[in-house]
Amino acid sequence: MHRRGFLVAGLAAALSGSRALAQMKMDGMSDMDSMPGMGGHAGHDMGAMGQGPAALPEGEALRELPLLANEAGRQGVFKARLAAEAATARFVADQDTPILAYNGMSPGPLIEAYEGDHVEITFANRIAGEPSTIHWHGMPVPADQDGNPMDPVAAGADRVYAFELPEGSAGSYWYHPHPHGRTAEQVYRGLAGAFVVKAKADPVPAEYGDTVLMFTDLRLAADGSMPDSTMADLMNGRVGDHVLVNGQKNPRLAVGTGAKRRLRLYNATNARFLRLAFANTAMTVIGSDGGLLEKPVAADEILLSPAERVELVVAFDRSGTATLTTLDYDRGWMGPGRPAEAGQMLLTVDVSDTPAEAMPPLPERLRQIAPLGAPTVSRRLVFTETMAMNATGMEMGFLINGKTFDMARVDIVAKAGETELWEIVNQADMDHPFHVHGTQFQVIERERGGKASKPAYLAWKDTVNVARGETVRLLIRQERPGPRMYHCHILEHEQLGMMGIVDVQV
Ligand code: C2O
Ligand code: CU
Ligand code: CU
């Protein structure tokens, strides 16, 4: 696949690959640069009037995500209702934006439960004419409770998701829809929420607070609506114009000098890679997708690919302004209109001269992570992209081991409780964040250009970026039987077929 060639030399010259999977009709094929979404990033489409994307108000006080109320009324049980439905949001003054929301809000309400809890959530799908599901991203829930595409909830129907939160499962998870062929759209229209499982005994001082920062990505048309995805969106994944934090653009947070804050950062965007730095502060990574690390690790910057999470302690030791800002990251953009990744201000912290209350230090050990040990099986998953022309348009394929997703096909049969080595090989021209349902894995090695490196520390992950040309080796063990999805978490790629099924058997 000669992606850059095709862009430079025109379509016909460089089209190769016969496996045509997703098919997009394109008019005016010979004049690709004039097409919406091809000649420029659609979100930066200047339009006839020469106006850029709408300006959003900035600098409002950071809103903590509202908690989903627990209706159980007894210890050890979390019971609630989540309805997915159409709603309106007001991102720009005097303009209503139709969105999808959980219980009327986007991001959805924050679910906070404890290790050992029994969870029972009734899902009401009130999206007109569309099936949906709720998938519990990263959580160790039974396969038939995990909102897989094989278990759609029809429009107008309800279903109960029930599961236990095992001891040791404390971590920063999230929930989002996963219906076949509609996940990408339902998520960018607003359906995603955070699910924090708290530890009964938490080593992180309570004085640091515990704040979820959920990043989503918004594109607004001039009339305030969210435009449909373009060809460029399908290829690269949909990237919007505004990265929002808890639904707000660059909100402000006020702290005293010397304050320490525990922040859980979520990349809930469809396709935006967030390389982040926090000016005028010291960042310490304390946790990954699946909970705390063994010990804190200082960090100058963080790469959070779509669906990844990181838990930080940030120390605000100098008065003034501390801004969380994006840095440039080249994830292999296909076509013209690569969005400007650098310099977006996501959060502004005002650090006052007034000293904060005294903060206890972060313990040097957070918990123990047992290495998964020697694998009994090893598997290789090769990610590729294809493009081809036919009479009706251009066809793109996002493949794993040469195949596109088929709900009726089991790709891998695994045994519950056995450790496996998975080698994720990215032979494509874009980065692909790899995700598996139902468990947390441990990355043990990365290889690029013939150079292998070990990760600096052990961590529980359910999503890992596999850069173009890179191989990531990970150890994985599924404890619970049933079919599990694995896929690229650029949701447009998942939707176009970059997904498979591992069937876990007892
Ligand atoms: Cu966020 Cu199939 O997952
Ligand atoms: Cu998932
Ligand atoms: Cu991908």
Side-chain angles (χ1 to χ4, degrees), residues 16 62 67 130 134 269 282 319 333 390:
S16 63
L62 172 73
L67 275 180
E130 292 186 27
I134 301 183
T269 70
S319 63
W333 187 262
N390 71 8

Side-chain angles (χ1 to χ4, degrees), residues 135 137-138 435 437:
H135 168 55
H137 181 118
H435 167 57
H437 290 196

